[in-house]
Amino acid sequence: MSDTSSRRRVYARRASVFGGFVALLGTLVLSGPAAEASPPTPPSAATARTQLASLTVKAEGSSDGYSRDKFPHWITQSGACNTREEVLKRDGKNVQTDSSCAATSGTWYSEYDGETWSASGDVDIDHVVPLSEAWKSGANSWTTAQRQAFANDLTHSQLIAVTDNVNQSKGDQDPAEWLPPRSAYHCMYARMWVSVKYTYKLTLDSAEKSALSGILNGC
């Protein structure tokens, strides 16, 4: 065998290996990481207990003057996508959207009740700490810009896609009055609630604190 022929065969083997590597890399790049399918993870139960202890306990304020319009939502987040549409994409699986960013297909698992939905219309975006609850806990003194940031917060564990009628049954109740039907999610829910109240320096009433303490102590 000539040196030229030998070099050609070595090159062919290297090209084949390199081509396989490129194909694998292309697959990894095209598939990308799996969707998070959940809100940002809140601090641990231990941290939540510390945060809870630092919150101001105060009788719940009045709802006088409250309006959802004072918490502008859903705002545009990127391109044609508003906050609701971003949460639907984040919390769902295999979500497909049209040119206006509306979800046209996908599935959504509701952590609150363990149900899975294939129509985005069956899903609500819950404010973990409800807007009315926030208003009565200190947000009544915020600027409109601050309330807008709170109502559209994708950075903290404040927004989650859940079954619509479960969200509606929650209303503006705090954890002393309402908890997700699925008890396995209570610990996570308490961590999320405390994290949001701590981040935004909102107050809580004594019954609310007692309920959260009980949940977190059992985590």
Side-chain angles (χ1 to χ4, degrees):
M1 181 186 298
S2 70
D3 289 345
T4 300
S5 176
S6 177
R7 283 195 298 272
R8 284 175 178 167
R9 292 193 177 189
V10 170
Y11 176 79
R13 286 197 300 271
R14 287 177 177 171
S16 176
V17 171
F18 181 72
F21 173 74
V22 170
L24 175 61
L25 180 61
T27 300
L28 292 173
V29 170
L30 289 173
S31 62
E36 184 178 339
S38 63
T41 304
S44 67
T47 299
R49 286 192 289 269
T50 299
Q51 292 177 342
L52 179 61
S54 72
L55 291 175
T56 299
V57 177
K58 184 179 179 181
E60 194 169 82
S62 170
S63 60
D64 289 351
Y66 168 72
S67 166
R68 288 177 68 85
D69 293 339
K70 293 185 177 180
F71 293 79
H73 66 289
W74 306 111
I75 63 170
T76 300
Q77 292 286 348
S78 62
C81 302
N82 66 26
T83 308
R84 171 182 165 80
E85 292 157 347
E86 290 288 0
V87 176
L88 286 174
K89 289 194 296 181
R90 182 197 69 190
D91 290 5
K93 290 184 178 179
N94 302 316
V95 178
Q96 300 296 315
T97 59
D98 62 20
S99 59
S100 64
C101 202
T104 56
S105 63
T107 58
W108 292 268
Y109 174 75
S110 170
E111 293 283 7
Y112 284 5
D113 59 338
E115 297 292 334
T116 299
W117 304 97
S118 57
S120 63
D122 291 323
V123 177
D124 276 357
I125 307 304
D126 180 40
H127 288 96
V128 172
V129 174
L131 305 183
S132 175
E133 166 68 22
W135 177 269
K136 294 178 286 187
S137 303
N140 61 321
S141 65
W142 294 353
T143 65
T144 299
Q146 288 172 316
R147 288 193 287 265
Q148 176 176 290
F150 177 84
N152 298 275
D153 186 355
L154 296 172
T155 302
H156 303 94
S157 51
Q158 166 65 342
L159 300 172
I160 182 172
V162 297
T163 302
D164 56 359
N165 60 0
V166 172
N167 181 49
Q168 291 153 21
S169 73
K170 170 184 173 179
D172 66 352
Q173 300 176 91
D174 68 35
E177 304 159 321
W178 186 93
L179 287 168
R182 181 170 160 256
S183 59
Y185 202 66
H186 287 183
C187 183
M188 178 63 76
Y189 185 76
R191 288 164 55 194
M192 294 163 72
W193 184 283
V194 172
S195 175
V196 172
K197 284 227 160 176
Y198 179 82
T199 298
Y200 287 93
K201 297 179 173 59
L202 295 170
T203 62
L204 71 171
D205 62 46
S206 57
E208 178 187 352
K209 181 175 183 178
S210 177
L212 289 165
S213 295
I215 298 168
L216 293 172
N217 287 338
C219 291

